[in-house]
Amino acid sequence: MRTSPTLAASADAADQGAAGGDRRRATRALCALNFFMADMQAGIGPFLGVFLQQRGWQPGAIGSVMTAGGVAGMLMTVPAGAFIDHTARKRWVVVITGICTVLASFLILWSQAGLVVTVSQVATAIAGAAIGPAVAGITLGVVRQRGFNVQNGRNQAWNHAGNMVGAALSGWLGFRYGMPAIFFLAALFGVFAILSVLTIPERTIDHRAARGLEGPHNGKVAPAEGQAQGVRTLLQNRPLLILAAALACFHLGNGAMLPLYGLAVVGAGKGNAAMFTALTVVVAQAVMIVTALAAMRLSASRGYWLVMLVSFASLPLRGLIAGSVIDSWGVWPVQALDGIGAGLQSVAVPGLVACLLDGTGRVNVGQGAVMTVQGLGASLSPAIGGWLAQLFGYQIAFYVLGGFALASLALWIGFATMLRPACAGACEPRAGQPAMGVASS
């Protein structure tokens, strides 16, 4: 019995409608996931220094423990990215790492002994090394390269909104019920993050697209099914190497700025511990929401080079203001600049890495490699900043930390001739590729 053309066309239209509905559901779930995972990952972090300071810890010891976690996370990002490229169980990576993050945080609530806090920070960092590439991979698998810039911008805006709401709630709960209440809030957000990722239909994730094996693009042809280029392709990509080096210098200065500024102001008796720490996060994240959306549009029209340049330029100014204004009102300019730098990078870095490695099948390894190098800077930053503050005072520490970004600017401007074409903007659509996920929300 032959199927009529009309019936076949109707069936195709129904299938396309169902697929479109699944994609819309998936992109909404991605936004929810990014909202809730923000507090699950970072909600405790900004409060950890003040929490330990209240229990007799010195700035140098606090910075050293944070550095231990940073080093552990740095060592795991490339293996985690490789695993994300390989596995078709990306949703469950998010579930397992979410559970581990919450449990590790409760270790600190149970005991503030040096070994326990160090183990907790190491476990949290390892989980964080996996969850970032996992969410980026899921996003790329759902919306493909064509929709990645837009969806990643939305993801980051929701992530910053989650950080802002989580920090505001944490500040109020910490003020009203004490610092331990913050840990329970992070656990609640973790539960909602797990539920959000499980609502993403598995059938919407194209795992070949998730690793950058979609097909021909700009004259490149993706390898055959299941194959990918060697990891050494990362070392042969000069724009990627320059990007990683510039980010390492930036995060060497930026990593310790927020917790150190909280310690400086609270230690001077100019702010309530929980409320002021919450305010530092809320101000930065509110600015990040706007800058993430601006970066999404600017990178599509002007390219990633300008977006990254502005982000690098924000840190020296931030360090100068932080060292000059150690007072409660200083949180507004200091953290607004943090919002500009981090908000722009949250969109530009994953999008730029995805474009640079499109067609290699190593997108998530590349994301992990860049995270590793910038993590090297971020992991050393708390120890450097903490000991500088302890030995020379907070003012000198902020000036030195802000100065590290001058190296980022020198690299980015010095290699501009090479970088500008590579950072020209979001990847051009492939011939014949449908617009997937661009209009979804």
Side-chain angles (χ1 to χ4, degrees):
M1 186 177 188
R2 305 179 77 182
T3 304
S4 71
T6 302
L7 290 177
S10 299
D12 289 342
D15 290 342
Q16 291 176 4
D22 283 343
R23 277 197 301 274
R24 284 190 293 273
R25 180 182 172 189
T27 54
R28 288 168 182 158
L30 278 168
C31 292
L33 169 61
N34 278 272
F35 180 90
F36 290 114
M37 74 180 241
D39 191 70
M40 178 185 72
Q41 284 185 286
I44 295 171
F47 297 89
L48 178 61
V50 174
F51 179 77
L52 294 176
Q53 184 185 50
Q54 290 179 340
R55 283 150 180 82
W57 284 58
Q58 293 299 313
I62 294 171
S64 296
V65 166
M66 290 182 173
T67 289
V71 170
M74 176 190 67
L75 294 175
M76 286 301 297
T77 46
V78 171
F83 179 73
I84 298 303
D85 275 336
H86 173 75
T87 185
R89 304 285 184 181
K90 295 178 178 61
R91 297 187 311 158
W92 288 100
V93 172
V94 177
V95 171
I96 293 171
T97 54
I99 293 172
C100 291
T101 300
V102 172
L103 292 178
S105 298
F106 274 118
L107 275 177
I108 303 176
L109 191 59
W110 171 63
S111 172
Q112 293 84 53
L115 179 61
V116 173
V117 175
T118 302
V119 169
S120 170
Q121 289 302 287
V122 168
T124 300
I126 291 174
I131 197 170
V135 174
I138 292 172
T139 303
L140 190 56
V142 170
V143 302
R144 320 301 196 265
Q145 276 285 357
R146 182 185 177 100
F148 186 77
N149 183 55
V150 171
Q151 185 59 44
N152 184 53
R154 290 173 178 160
N155 285 356
Q156 296 306 323
W158 280 98
N159 186 270
H160 298 318
N163 264 317
M164 184 178 69
V165 172
L169 289 174
S170 295
W172 181 78
L173 289 171
F175 176 76
R176 184 75 181 271
Y177 302 106
M179 296 291 283
I182 297 170
F183 293 79
F184 290 97
L185 177 67
L188 180 62
F189 269 58
V191 171
F192 283 121
I194 290 169
L195 293 175
S196 296
V197 75
L198 291 176
T199 61
I200 298 174
E202 177 61 38
R203 59 185 172 273
T204 63
I205 304 173
D206 182 333
H207 293 285
R208 278 180 56 78
R211 65 185 302 184
L213 289 179
E214 261 184 275
H217 176 55
N218 289 343
K220 297 180 290 185
V221 178
E225 182 73 32
Q227 296 180 349
Q229 295 179 22
V231 177
R232 65 182 179 181
T233 191
L234 306 182
L235 300 177
Q236 297 169 349
N237 192 313
R238 293 184 66 191
L240 185 70
L241 296 178
I242 296 168
L243 171 67
L247 287 170
C249 296
F250 177 87
H251 286 280
L252 186 63
N254 192 65
M257 196 76 74
L258 186 153
L260 205 60
Y261 195 71
L263 291 175
V265 174
V266 173
K270 297 183 178 180
N272 172 268
M275 291 298 290
F276 181 80
T277 304
L279 185 60
T280 65
V281 180
V282 168
V283 172
Q285 297 299 329
V287 175
M288 286 180 197
I289 295 172
V290 178
T291 54
L293 295 173
M296 178 183 73
R297 295 180 179 275
L298 186 60
S299 60
S301 61
R302 299 288 300 276
Y304 290 116
W305 187 85
L306 179 61
V307 176
M308 294 300 300
L309 179 68
V310 175
S311 75
F312 292 143
S314 67
L315 184 57
L317 181 58
R318 185 184 179 209
L320 179 63
I321 295 175
S324 304
V325 184
I326 301 179
D327 206 328
S328 57
W329 68 267
V331 67
W332 297 98
V334 169
Q335 289 307 98
L337 287 166
D338 182 35
I340 292 172
L344 294 175
Q345 288 185 14
S346 68
V347 174
V349 174
L352 181 52
V353 172
C355 283
L356 291 175
L357 296 177
D358 187 30
T360 66
R362 295 293 183 181
V363 169
N364 293 299
V365 176
Q367 300 281 10
V370 170
M371 288 174 61
T372 297
V373 179
Q374 70 182 33
L376 175 63
S379 63
L380 293 174
S381 184
I384 293 173
W387 287 109
L388 282 172
Q390 188 168 318
L391 296 175
F392 304 106
Y394 287 108
Q395 185 178 49
I396 297 298
F398 290 129
Y399 290 157
V400 173
L401 291 174
F404 285 127
L406 296 176
S408 301
L409 286 169
L411 283 169
W412 208 245
I413 295 172
F415 289 96
T417 303
M418 177 199 304
L419 292 170
R420 280 182 179 275
C423 302
C427 292
E428 293 295 327
R430 291 178 174 80
Q433 180 183 338
M436 294 183 177
V438 176
S440 303
S441 61

